[in-house]
Amino acid sequence: MNIDPREISALISAHSDPSTCTGAPRVDMYAGIHKALRALMSDTLLALGRMDVTDDLEFATHCERVMELLDLCRSHLQHENEFLHTAIEARAPGAARVLECEHGEHEKAITALAAGVTQLLGCATAARPAAAHALYRQLALFIAHNYEHMHAEETGHNSVLWAHYSDEELVGIHNALVASIPQPEMMAILRWLVPFMSPPERTAMLADMRAHAPAPVFKAVLDSVKSHLTPYEWIKLMRSLNLPAETAPPY
């Protein structure tokens, strides 16, 4: 584990000294989706660890949650390969090579974990505890490596993107990526994205969605995330969007 206090110190210094402030932060295509993935990964791992293997319904449900996580991770890799790595390689050849190789490793790990879930579902009840714990440990290692990988993308890959693309160009890449995601997958992402954003990030994203998405889609997103926000977070969000917190917004 490599904790670099210099990065934290540099950020504190930059934001404490007005002479180093250069205006609004750059467009960060990794920040939001990585918050969502970190939250989903953590929640899935914790749920797997406390799963009651003697309860058939709970057992099946939690195994399905792991499979859903793996499906979303596989799709995320494909999105990054197609849009972000392609953009990086177009203007900085070779800059995405190392992390793209890690994507290949993640693909193999996803396949192995999915096979592990299938084996767990088919094993005898008496063998479930040991098999479930083995899967838990392997999923933990997968998640740990993903956390390190996401940090490398947020630092290294963002540096390359910011050096070679304007914010307008990055928004165009991001919009093309989002447009390529099927609606069911997008709803699954938003369930983990919106609740785990900071309030300003949450407001900015939903305000943009309200301005550009069909009203029924916007309503469906609000309905899907409301139960995952605290009452205070919900009230704060509604106020920031100039919508009534007590009743369903008018659409």
Side-chain angles (χ1 to χ4, degrees), residues 134-151:
L135 178 65
Y136 170 82
R137 290 198 306 266
Q138 292 304 307
L139 182 62
L141 288 174
F142 173 74
I143 291 172
H145 190 267
N146 268 270
Y147 274 26
E148 292 184 335
H149 177 85
M150 286 189 279
H151 176 78

Side-chain angles (χ1 to χ4, degrees), residues 15 26 32 48 58-59 68 80 101 120 148 235 241 248:
H15 289 283
R26 296 295 309 274
L48 183 63
E58 182 176 329
F59 176 70
E68 290 172 355
E80 287 192 340
C101 287
L120 175 59
E148 292 184 335
I235 290 171
L241 295 171

